[in-house]
Amino acid sequence: MTPKHIVYHIPVCPFSQRLEVLLALRGRRDAVEFRVVDITKPRDPALLAKTRGTTALPVLETPDGAIIKESLVILRYLDEVLGAPLLRRSDPEEHAVESMLIAREGPFTTTGYLFVMNQDPARRDEFNGKLLSLYRDLNDLLLHHSPEGPYLFDGFGMAEAVFAPIFKRFWFLDYYEGFSLPDGPDYDRVRAWKEACMAHEATNQVTEEEIVKLYYDYALGAGNGALVEGRKISSFTFEPHWKDRPWPPRDKYAGSASDAELGLIA
Ligand SMILES: N[C@@H](CCC(=O)N[C@@H](CS)C(=O)NCC(=O)O)C(=O)O
């Protein structure tokens, strides 16, 4: 059998979902073998040796054994490896425009994660305001380059594959922070884009229920499989399955529900 590209990943990770979206769009899910890493357990030394000590996932291993890190780099690499029709825009100027939109992904993602992980109720307005300002920047760029929409260009492309998984993770802000985009022209264009990204069938790898349940510990300030004080099991655990657990309490500032209340005890 020909050796495949291997992606080491955490199944519900948004950065890894970008790659799944690309493969779904191409109908090439078989082009990559996904190997699941459980972040609630110590990392396999063999994988740590391959990544030369870094733990962030996804990581791609080529059939030649080369290691590629960073989801945006892997996304672009796989797009080229899979060949035409490329997801990225082939016209240089259009590619520059989509790259400008993609360049806004980092601060946007970081702000949403800091917001959900914030434990100080006095800082909620600050995070909410910062996230809204980043939404307004996206709105402005989209209005300028694609006033009619809903996508940046004529269809779901690379910028959409980058942002859709993050928009879906931000279900955790709707649930735990009551976040919503205000009405009005400052947000209408980005709202239409966000809705189109999230509704696309190639982005259906995760559901709101899954995100809300798995990311409960993030909402209590414990990311990446870390344990919340007083708890023994991470909300990121694979067993019991999230479908068999109740929805967690919305009030993240009231302290943690117990492992039993969260349905985490098998
Ligand atoms: N900038 C990186 C971020 C990757 C990242 O933060 N992945 C998280 C999972 S969603 C992770 O691997 N966390 C575990 C760790 O960093 O040890 C990318 O885009 O690939």
Side-chain angles (χ1 to χ4, degrees):
M1 210 172 80
T2 351
K4 280 188 178 184
H5 287 84
I6 299 168
V7 167
Y8 298 92
H9 80 140
I10 300 159
V12 82
C13 165
F15 309 107
S16 161
Q17 195 192 350
R18 290 172 173 159
L19 314 180
E20 296 178 79
V21 170
L22 169 73
L23 296 170
L25 287 164
R26 294 286 188 82
R28 291 292 311 278
R29 186 63 173 69
D30 62 321
V32 167
E33 178 191 334
F34 283 90
R35 291 199 187 158
V36 170
V37 175
D38 184 346
I39 46 165
T40 66
K41 309 232 164 79
R43 191 63 52 90
D44 174 6
L47 182 55
L48 269 183
K50 286 184 187 193
T51 59
R52 293 185 297 116
T54 64
T55 55
L57 299 171
V59 165
L60 178 137
E61 183 174 356
T62 70
D64 298 341
I67 293 292
I68 303 178
K69 304 179 193 179
E70 285 298 325
S71 61
L72 295 183
V73 178
I74 301 172
L75 186 68
R76 289 181 163 118
Y77 168 82
L78 275 181
D79 191 31
E80 287 182 36
V81 165
L82 293 176
L86 294 188
L87 189 60
R88 61 157 277 184
R89 303 302 293 182
S90 49
D91 173 78
E93 188 176 326
E94 289 184 355
H95 182 52
V97 170
E98 77 182 346
S99 297
M100 286 194 286
L101 186 48
I102 291 170
R104 296 178 183 209
E105 164 283 331
F108 182 76
T109 303
T110 303
T111 301
Y113 271 74
L114 290 176
F115 190 9
V116 79
M117 292 182 78
N118 168 50
Q119 298 304 294
D120 180 358
R123 296 191 66 197
R124 290 176 86 174
D125 285 351
E126 177 195 330
F127 284 110
N128 194 61
K130 173 75 181 156
L131 190 59
L132 287 179
S133 81
L134 294 169
Y135 267 114
R136 289 195 298 276
D137 289 345
L138 295 176
N139 196 79
D140 178 69
L141 190 149
L142 287 160
L143 263 185
H144 183 69
H145 292 285
S146 167
E148 301 303 327
Y151 300 119
L152 177 59
F153 294 104
D154 43 4
F156 189 104
M158 186 157 276
E160 286 77 14
V162 168
F163 274 87
I166 307 301
F167 288 144
K168 293 204 164 181
R169 290 315 165 287
F170 286 7
W171 274 318
F172 55 45
L173 291 174
D174 306 355
Y175 190 82
Y176 294 113
E177 287 290 352
F179 179 84
S180 66
L181 278 179
D183 290 331
D186 282 351
Y187 303 99
D188 285 345
R189 180 64 191 89
V190 71
R191 184 189 344 271
W193 187 56
K194 178 179 178 178
E195 285 171 2
C197 287
M198 293 175 76
H200 196 283
E201 59 183 13
T203 70
N204 282 345
Q205 294 84 5
V206 291
T207 64
E208 180 172 9
E209 181 179 355
E210 179 179 12
I211 296 298
V212 164
K213 290 180 179 177
L214 294 186
Y215 282 83
Y216 178 64
D217 290 355
Y218 270 80
L220 299 177
N224 282 331
L227 273 181
V228 173
E229 210 182 309
R231 294 248 316 282
K232 291 200 165 56
I233 306 170
S234 162
S235 61
F236 258 91
T237 189
F238 296 155
E239 287 291 328
H241 195 278
W242 57 266
K243 281 187 185 155
D244 301 324
R245 309 185 213 159
W247 286 73
R250 281 178 189 269
D251 186 358
K252 59 180 248 192
Y253 296 101
S256 180
S258 67
D259 288 338
E261 286 164 335
L262 294 166
L264 294 172
I265 298 171

